[in-house]
Amino acid sequence: MIKRIIAFHLVAAAALLLWGIVDGRVPPGSLGGVGRDYVERTPGELGAANVVTGIVVTWRGLDTLGEVTVLFLAAAGVALVLRRREGAAENAAAPEAPRRDSSEILETGSAFLVPAIVMFGVYIFLNGHLTPGGGFQGGAVVASAVLLLFLVHPGYRTAHRALEAVESVSGALYVAAGLLGLLLAGGFLDNRFLPPGVFGTILSAGAIPVIYTLIGLKVGAELAGILDSLRGGGE
């Protein structure tokens, strides 16, 4: 009871603090110095219609590399912890209950939805330089198709080695793209080592579509690997 009272007062104090911050706040009518500089320079210098993508992939390229590394470490950590637990409980575990097959409606629906979800994920990371989206979002959508397969088909087995290969190759190529930007353009992950193309079209923004494709493949493979490990399907 005392814990609930303390928790209630903490939540109330946090709400009052947030209300004090946002109450009466008037959004600025124009961008500040750094924001205005990014908005003005990104379309012309990077060729990206989506200013956010230009900032995330090129101006903040090293930060994005750190985020991909954190996701890789999380996937490796989950797989390592779950494998140890499986090994410790291997002999003591009770016999696994028989799995019931899904209904025909679910199986038929998933057969239509899985390809559509994968295509939607690919569309998101291929068009990340034109519309809201990008490699992380597209990869997460692709991984959700794998999750749907696990839910509908409990005995479904992923090609674990293929996932590892996609993750490793896309990660290596991502770093290679960063180094090409460093050697041939203005800095690490600079997209201008490829031609800028026609502004506003799919073939524009230099190497950003390539970089986002590699990020999408890597994120999708890592998240699918995490889901597979949580399900107990890792090797």
Side-chain angles (χ1 to χ4, degrees):
M1 187 63 182
I2 295 178
K3 291 182 179 178
R4 292 183 179 180
I5 294 175
I6 294 175
F8 174 78
H9 283 85
L10 289 175
V11 171
L16 288 175
L17 180 62
L18 290 175
W19 178 255
I21 294 175
V22 300
D23 184 33
R25 181 179 181 274
V26 178
S30 60
L31 294 173
V34 176
R36 185 175 61 252
D37 185 60
Y38 276 141
V39 171
E40 292 175 352
R41 291 174 55 194
T42 298
E45 294 189 18
L46 303 183
N50 186 348
V51 174
V52 175
T53 290
I55 296 171
V56 170
V57 175
T58 300
W59 303 130
R60 289 179 53 239
L62 285 174
D63 189 44
T64 303
L65 176 62
E67 293 168 355
V68 172
T69 304
V70 168
L71 186 58
F72 168 75
L73 293 176
V78 169
L80 180 62
V81 170
L82 292 179
R83 283 179 187 176
R84 285 186 175 181
R85 287 186 177 180
E86 288 175 1
E90 184 176 359
N91 297 324
E96 187 176 357
R99 293 172 175 173
R100 190 177 62 179
D101 293 335
S102 300
S103 67
E104 187 175 352
I105 294 176
L106 287 177
E107 292 184 356
T108 305
S110 68
F112 283 101
L113 285 176
V114 168
I117 293 173
V118 172
M119 286 192 293
F120 182 55
V122 172
Y123 172 85
I124 289 176
F125 62 66
L126 280 180
N127 288 270
H129 59 301
L130 302 175
T131 57
F136 283 94
Q137 296 86 342
V141 171
V142 171
S144 69
V146 178
L147 175 60
L148 180 59
L149 284 175
F150 289 161
L151 293 175
V152 176
H153 305 283
Y156 180 79
R157 298 286 181 183
T158 59
H160 204 70
R161 294 188 183 280
L163 286 178
E164 291 179 347
V166 171
E167 177 188 347
S168 301
V169 172
S170 58
L173 292 176
Y174 173 69
V175 175
L179 294 176
L180 285 174
L182 182 64
L183 295 174
L184 303 177
F188 186 77
L189 281 175
D190 194 316
N191 66 312
R192 291 168 289 188
F193 71 87
L194 287 181
V198 180
F199 183 80
T201 63
I202 188 69
L203 297 178
S204 63
I208 287 180
V210 177
I211 294 172
Y212 256 170
T213 299
L214 296 174
I215 293 176
L217 292 175
K218 183 168 179 56
V219 171
E222 286 175 344
L223 292 179
I226 290 175
L227 293 172
D228 195 34
S229 298
L230 291 173
R231 192 183 59 110
E235 293 180 358

XYZ file of all heavy atoms in Angstrom, residues 161-235:
526
model
N 21.075 -19.201 -40.342
C 22.362 -18.829 -40.951
C 22.170 -17.756 -42.030
O 23.026 -16.888 -42.206
C 23.046 -20.069 -41.532
C 23.461 -21.092 -40.475
C 24.308 -22.210 -41.063
N 24.627 -23.205 -40.060
C 25.594 -23.077 -39.162
N 26.337 -21.975 -39.163
N 25.826 -24.012 -38.273
N 21.061 -17.818 -42.740
C 20.794 -16.794 -43.759
C 20.584 -15.432 -43.102
O 21.077 -14.406 -43.603
C 19.566 -17.186 -44.584
N 19.878 -15.408 -41.957
C 19.693 -14.148 -41.237
C 21.030 -13.583 -40.783
O 21.288 -12.370 -40.895
C 18.779 -14.364 -40.025
C 17.292 -14.557 -40.293
C 16.547 -14.806 -38.993
C 16.716 -13.335 -40.991
N 21.885 -14.467 -40.269
C 23.202 -14.014 -39.825
C 24.023 -13.485 -40.994
O 24.743 -12.489 -40.857
C 23.940 -15.161 -39.131
C 23.331 -15.564 -37.791
C 24.069 -16.718 -37.159
O 24.875 -17.361 -37.859
O 23.836 -16.992 -35.960
N 23.909 -14.157 -42.149
C 24.658 -13.707 -43.325
C 24.167 -12.336 -43.793
O 24.981 -11.443 -44.100
C 24.523 -14.742 -44.444
N 22.832 -12.148 -43.846
C 22.284 -10.854 -44.259
C 22.721 -9.754 -43.299
O 23.124 -8.652 -43.713
C 20.743 -10.926 -44.337
C 20.147 -9.538 -44.540
C 20.311 -11.853 -45.460
N 22.655 -10.045 -42.008
C 23.040 -9.055 -41.001
C 24.517 -8.679 -41.127
O 24.870 -7.489 -41.106
C 22.757 -9.623 -39.615
C 23.174 -8.723 -38.478
C 23.053 -9.426 -37.151
O 22.424 -10.497 -37.094
O 23.602 -8.909 -36.168
N 25.383 -9.689 -41.288
C 26.824 -9.426 -41.349
C 27.204 -8.680 -42.627
O 27.959 -7.695 -42.595
C 27.601 -10.744 -41.261
O 27.302 -11.419 -40.059
N 26.674 -9.156 -43.769
C 27.046 -8.539 -45.052
C 26.531 -7.099 -45.127
O 27.261 -6.184 -45.544
C 26.497 -9.384 -46.218
C 26.691 -8.658 -47.544
C 27.194 -10.737 -46.260
N 25.273 -6.887 -44.725
C 24.728 -5.524 -44.785
C 25.468 -4.589 -43.833
O 25.715 -3.419 -44.159
C 23.239 -5.535 -44.465
O 22.997 -6.094 -43.190
N 25.855 -5.098 -42.660
C 26.624 -4.270 -41.726
C 27.992 -3.901 -42.290
O 28.437 -2.749 -42.176
N 28.662 -4.885 -42.912
C 29.981 -4.619 -43.495
C 29.878 -3.620 -44.652
O 30.706 -2.699 -44.782
C 30.606 -5.928 -43.968
N 28.846 -3.793 -45.493
C 28.676 -2.861 -46.612
C 28.304 -1.462 -46.135
O 28.673 -0.459 -46.750
C 27.602 -3.392 -47.574
C 27.974 -4.661 -48.343
C 26.801 -5.136 -49.190
C 29.202 -4.423 -49.221
N 27.572 -1.394 -45.032
C 27.225 -0.090 -44.456
C 28.486 0.663 -44.021
O 28.646 1.862 -44.307
C 26.286 -0.307 -43.278
C 25.978 0.927 -42.480
C 25.199 1.955 -43.011
C 26.462 1.071 -41.188
C 24.918 3.084 -42.273
C 26.185 2.196 -40.440
C 25.410 3.205 -40.985
O 25.140 4.325 -40.250
N 29.378 -0.043 -43.342
C 30.634 0.590 -42.940
C 31.468 0.956 -44.173
O 32.091 2.023 -44.227
C 31.426 -0.349 -42.011
C 32.787 0.242 -41.677
C 30.643 -0.600 -40.720
N 31.440 0.081 -45.201
C 32.183 0.374 -46.436
C 31.637 1.634 -47.105
O 32.404 2.463 -47.624
C 32.102 -0.816 -47.380
N 30.295 1.787 -47.103
C 29.701 3.004 -47.673
C 30.150 4.239 -46.896
O 30.408 5.301 -47.486
C 28.177 2.892 -47.659
N 30.251 4.083 -45.581
C 30.742 5.198 -44.778
C 32.165 5.574 -45.124
O 32.508 6.763 -45.238
N 33.008 4.560 -45.335
C 34.404 4.839 -45.676
C 34.532 5.436 -47.071
O 35.402 6.291 -47.315
C 35.220 3.537 -45.565
C 35.341 2.963 -44.145
C 36.076 1.629 -44.174
C 36.051 3.954 -43.224
N 33.674 4.984 -48.004
C 33.699 5.589 -49.338
C 33.343 7.072 -49.271
O 33.925 7.898 -49.989
C 32.720 4.855 -50.258
C 33.169 3.475 -50.763
C 32.048 2.803 -51.538
C 34.422 3.608 -51.629
N 32.376 7.392 -48.426
C 32.052 8.805 -48.238
C 33.214 9.583 -47.674
O 33.460 10.741 -48.046
N 33.965 8.936 -46.775
C 35.123 9.602 -46.178
C 36.228 9.830 -47.205
O 36.894 10.874 -47.216
C 35.643 8.755 -45.011
C 36.830 9.309 -44.219
C 36.445 10.605 -43.527
C 37.317 8.296 -43.190
N 36.427 8.849 -48.092
C 37.520 8.939 -49.060
C 37.169 9.788 -50.283
O 38.019 10.516 -50.817
C 37.914 7.530 -49.522
C 38.498 6.615 -48.447
C 38.701 5.208 -48.986
C 39.817 7.185 -47.914
N 35.903 9.682 -50.740
C 35.545 10.300 -52.021
C 34.729 11.575 -51.888
O 34.574 12.310 -52.872
C 34.756 9.293 -52.879
C 35.469 7.959 -53.156
C 34.558 7.038 -53.946
C 36.784 8.182 -53.896
N 34.153 11.812 -50.707
C 33.295 13.000 -50.542
C 33.761 13.801 -49.320
O 34.970 13.926 -49.097
C 31.842 12.569 -50.405
N 32.795 14.313 -48.563
C 33.171 15.237 -47.494
C 33.417 14.633 -46.142
O 33.917 15.318 -45.241
N 33.047 13.375 -45.924
C 33.239 12.791 -44.607
C 32.604 11.419 -44.516
O 32.046 10.912 -45.505
N 32.680 10.811 -43.326
C 32.144 9.466 -43.136
C 30.639 9.463 -43.399
O 29.905 10.306 -42.876
C 32.426 9.004 -41.701
C 32.034 7.582 -41.437
C 32.821 6.539 -41.893
C 30.877 7.290 -40.740
C 32.460 5.222 -41.662
C 30.508 5.978 -40.499
C 31.300 4.937 -40.956
N 30.181 8.494 -44.226
C 28.783 8.343 -44.630
C 28.261 9.536 -45.429
O 27.050 9.744 -45.501
C 27.871 8.095 -43.414
C 27.866 6.666 -42.866
C 27.033 6.586 -41.598
C 27.343 5.684 -43.892
N 29.154 10.301 -46.015
C 28.708 11.380 -46.895
C 28.120 10.760 -48.157
O 28.780 9.986 -48.848
C 29.892 12.297 -47.238
C 29.424 13.605 -47.857
O 28.537 13.571 -48.734
O 29.929 14.663 -47.452
N 26.864 11.079 -48.465
C 26.150 10.431 -49.578
C 26.608 10.918 -50.939
O 26.200 10.360 -51.956
C 24.644 10.690 -49.441
C 24.309 12.164 -49.615
O 24.948 13.014 -49.005
N 23.326 12.461 -50.431
N 27.448 11.912 -50.997
C 27.795 12.521 -52.278
C 28.900 11.796 -53.036
O 29.402 12.316 -54.033
C 28.178 13.986 -52.052
C 27.000 14.848 -51.657
C 27.401 16.200 -51.163
N 28.043 16.125 -49.859
C 28.364 17.173 -49.110
N 28.104 18.389 -49.567
N 28.937 17.026 -47.931
N 29.296 10.596 -52.572
C 30.259 9.828 -53.370
C 29.559 9.137 -54.545
O 30.230 8.571 -55.419
C 31.013 8.818 -52.509
C 30.201 7.643 -52.029
C 30.061 6.507 -52.800
C 29.605 7.674 -50.783
C 29.331 5.425 -52.354
C 28.873 6.600 -50.319
C 28.730 5.467 -51.108
N 28.192 9.178 -54.572
C 27.429 8.746 -55.746
C 26.749 9.971 -56.359
O 26.510 10.966 -55.666
C 26.374 7.709 -55.335
C 26.897 6.314 -54.969
C 25.738 5.393 -54.617
C 27.735 5.708 -56.086
N 26.413 9.917 -57.648
C 25.755 11.071 -58.303
C 24.465 11.448 -57.587
O 23.729 10.569 -57.120
C 25.480 10.560 -59.723
C 26.459 9.454 -59.933
C 26.680 8.817 -58.598
N 24.140 12.749 -57.522
C 22.950 13.175 -56.780
C 21.640 12.791 -57.444
O 20.609 12.717 -56.782
C 23.108 14.697 -56.719
C 23.947 15.041 -57.901
C 24.892 13.890 -58.074
N 21.642 12.537 -58.759
C 20.411 12.176 -59.450
C 19.463 13.363 -59.608
O 19.855 14.522 -59.447
N 18.219 13.048 -59.902
C 17.185 14.091 -60.107
C 16.445 14.290 -58.801
O 15.868 13.346 -58.242
C 16.217 13.678 -61.228
C 15.162 14.763 -61.431
C 16.982 13.413 -62.513
N 16.461 15.512 -58.300
C 15.849 15.816 -57.008
C 14.376 15.413 -56.977
O 13.611 15.714 -57.891
C 15.970 17.310 -56.710
C 15.424 17.710 -55.368
C 16.175 17.514 -54.218
C 14.155 18.269 -55.254
C 15.675 17.877 -52.984
C 13.649 18.636 -54.022
C 14.414 18.435 -52.880
N 13.981 14.710 -55.902
C 12.584 14.323 -55.732
C 12.203 13.009 -56.374
O 11.045 12.606 -56.304
N 13.158 12.319 -57.017
C 12.859 11.025 -57.638
C 13.523 9.915 -56.821
O 14.328 10.167 -55.929
C 13.365 10.965 -59.086
O 14.801 11.085 -59.077
C 12.784 12.116 -59.894
N 13.182 8.661 -57.173
C 13.724 7.530 -56.422
C 15.250 7.452 -56.574
O 15.952 7.063 -55.646
C 13.044 6.211 -56.881
C 13.443 5.054 -55.986
C 13.391 5.915 -58.317
C 12.905 5.130 -54.601
N 15.756 7.841 -57.757
C 17.202 7.841 -57.986
C 17.741 9.244 -57.703
O 18.114 9.996 -58.599
C 17.515 7.402 -59.413
C 17.107 5.970 -59.771
C 17.418 5.680 -61.234
C 17.819 4.968 -58.859
N 17.781 9.593 -56.446
C 18.296 10.906 -56.038
C 18.952 10.767 -54.681
O 19.021 9.674 -54.111
C 17.156 11.937 -55.980
O 16.205 11.574 -54.999
N 19.492 11.866 -54.199
C 20.127 11.913 -52.870
C 21.382 11.065 -52.783
O 21.736 10.610 -51.689
C 19.129 11.513 -51.785
N 22.061 10.849 -53.900
C 23.340 10.143 -53.868
C 23.209 8.738 -53.309
O 22.422 7.929 -53.791
N 23.984 8.457 -52.268
C 24.041 7.105 -51.711
C 23.021 6.861 -50.609
O 23.006 5.776 -50.028
C 25.451 6.840 -51.162
N 22.163 7.825 -50.318
C 21.216 7.631 -49.206
C 20.299 6.423 -49.427
O 20.093 5.634 -48.497
C 20.404 8.918 -48.968
C 21.293 9.976 -48.315
C 19.202 8.646 -48.079
C 20.593 11.292 -48.023
N 19.709 6.218 -50.638
C 18.890 5.005 -50.812
C 19.681 3.716 -50.561
O 19.156 2.754 -49.997
C 18.418 5.105 -52.264
C 18.470 6.558 -52.580
C 19.652 7.083 -51.827
N 20.947 3.699 -50.986
C 21.777 2.508 -50.754
C 22.019 2.319 -49.258
O 21.894 1.205 -48.717
C 23.118 2.641 -51.513
C 24.018 1.452 -51.218
C 22.873 2.774 -53.007
N 22.357 3.402 -48.578
C 22.637 3.318 -47.141
C 21.383 2.883 -46.374
O 21.453 2.027 -45.477
C 23.150 4.677 -46.635
C 24.508 4.992 -47.257
C 23.259 4.680 -45.113
C 25.011 6.408 -46.958
N 20.244 3.450 -46.736
C 19.015 3.073 -46.036
C 18.621 1.627 -46.335
O 18.031 0.948 -45.487
C 17.884 4.018 -46.410
C 17.571 5.031 -45.334
C 16.726 6.084 -45.565
C 18.129 4.908 -44.061
C 16.432 7.009 -44.575
C 17.850 5.828 -43.078
C 17.000 6.874 -43.337
O 16.716 7.781 -42.351
N 18.897 1.161 -47.556
C 18.624 -0.247 -47.866
C 19.470 -1.169 -46.989
O 18.973 -2.155 -46.437
C 18.909 -0.522 -49.349
O 18.042 0.292 -50.154
C 18.673 -1.978 -49.684
N 20.744 -0.832 -46.843
C 21.622 -1.652 -46.001
C 21.170 -1.623 -44.547
O 21.156 -2.647 -43.859
C 23.067 -1.151 -46.124
C 23.690 -1.285 -47.527
C 25.060 -0.612 -47.560
C 23.810 -2.749 -47.911
N 20.779 -0.434 -44.065
C 20.289 -0.336 -42.682
C 19.002 -1.141 -42.518
O 18.820 -1.858 -41.522
C 20.057 1.139 -42.299
C 21.385 1.897 -42.248
C 19.358 1.240 -40.946
C 21.228 3.384 -41.965
N 18.091 -1.041 -43.501
C 16.842 -1.786 -43.414
C 17.068 -3.289 -43.364
O 16.436 -4.001 -42.568
N 17.981 -3.791 -44.203
C 18.272 -5.225 -44.196
C 18.897 -5.645 -42.867
O 18.545 -6.688 -42.301
C 19.215 -5.565 -45.350
C 18.625 -5.427 -46.757
C 19.702 -5.675 -47.806
C 17.477 -6.403 -46.951
N 19.823 -4.828 -42.370
C 20.499 -5.180 -41.116
C 19.520 -5.154 -39.934
O 19.495 -6.075 -39.118
C 21.658 -4.209 -40.864
C 22.462 -4.551 -39.619
C 23.754 -3.772 -39.551
C 24.529 -4.106 -38.275
N 24.797 -5.549 -38.158
N 18.724 -4.108 -39.848
C 17.765 -4.006 -38.743
C 16.723 -5.121 -38.830
O 16.377 -5.746 -37.822
C 17.088 -2.627 -38.751
C 15.925 -2.580 -37.761
C 18.100 -1.542 -38.401
N 16.218 -5.375 -40.034
C 15.236 -6.440 -40.197
C 15.794 -7.791 -39.789
O 15.124 -8.568 -39.095
N 17.038 -8.098 -40.210
C 17.645 -9.381 -39.845
C 17.904 -9.469 -38.342
O 17.694 -10.523 -37.723
C 18.948 -9.572 -40.625
N 18.347 -8.362 -37.736
C 18.623 -8.388 -36.297
C 17.347 -8.565 -35.486
O 17.300 -9.361 -34.543
C 19.335 -7.096 -35.881
C 20.781 -7.051 -36.332
C 21.432 -5.727 -36.022
O 20.702 -4.757 -35.746
O 22.677 -5.668 -36.059
N 16.291 -7.831 -35.839
C 15.038 -7.969 -35.098
C 14.427 -9.351 -35.305
O 13.878 -9.938 -34.361
C 14.055 -6.880 -35.535
C 14.425 -5.453 -35.139
C 13.378 -4.470 -35.651
C 14.570 -5.324 -33.624
N 14.509 -9.879 -36.527
C 14.010 -11.236 -36.762
C 14.811 -12.247 -35.951
O 14.245 -13.213 -35.417
C 14.080 -11.564 -38.255
N 16.125 -12.027 -35.835
C 16.947 -12.921 -35.017
C 16.569 -12.854 -33.545
O 16.537 -13.876 -32.850
N 16.263 -11.633 -33.052
C 15.825 -11.490 -31.657
C 14.507 -12.234 -31.439
O 14.336 -12.965 -30.450
C 15.673 -10.000 -31.302
C 17.055 -9.326 -31.239
C 14.957 -9.830 -29.966
C 16.979 -7.829 -31.006
N 13.560 -12.074 -32.364
C 12.277 -12.774 -32.238
C 12.477 -14.278 -32.266
O 11.843 -15.015 -31.492
C 11.346 -12.347 -33.380
C 10.881 -10.888 -33.364
C 10.128 -10.554 -34.643
C 9.987 -10.634 -32.159
N 13.366 -14.733 -33.135
C 13.636 -16.166 -33.219
C 14.257 -16.679 -31.926
O 13.922 -17.768 -31.446
C 14.560 -16.426 -34.409
C 14.584 -17.898 -34.776
O 13.538 -18.570 -34.622
O 15.641 -18.380 -35.197
N 15.164 -15.891 -31.331
C 15.791 -16.301 -30.070
C 14.771 -16.337 -28.937
O 14.765 -17.250 -28.115
C 16.934 -15.335 -29.722
O 17.947 -15.357 -30.716
N 13.900 -15.329 -28.887
C 12.876 -15.301 -27.843
C 11.908 -16.473 -27.976
O 11.388 -16.979 -26.979
C 12.101 -13.979 -27.905
C 12.884 -12.723 -27.509
C 12.053 -11.478 -27.786
C 13.268 -12.780 -26.035
N 11.691 -16.906 -29.204
C 10.798 -18.044 -29.424
C 11.476 -19.368 -29.131
O 10.824 -20.406 -28.996
C 10.324 -18.028 -30.881
C 9.180 -18.955 -31.211
C 8.901 -18.877 -32.683
N 10.080 -19.257 -33.453
C 10.178 -20.389 -34.158
N 9.167 -21.224 -34.189
N 11.268 -20.679 -34.857
N 12.823 -19.325 -29.029
C 13.553 -20.568 -28.774
C 13.929 -21.301 -30.024
O 14.156 -22.503 -29.993
N 14.017 -20.585 -31.129
C 14.343 -21.251 -32.382
C 15.779 -21.097 -32.807
O 16.172 -21.556 -33.857
N 16.622 -20.408 -31.956
C 18.023 -20.240 -32.344
C 18.783 -21.533 -32.265
O 18.433 -22.477 -31.559
N 19.851 -21.595 -33.016
C 20.669 -22.811 -33.036
C 21.583 -22.841 -31.825
O 21.979 -21.831 -31.323
C 21.518 -22.847 -34.317
C 20.643 -23.002 -35.559
C 21.467 -23.048 -36.826
O 22.707 -22.911 -36.715
O 20.898 -23.231 -37.897
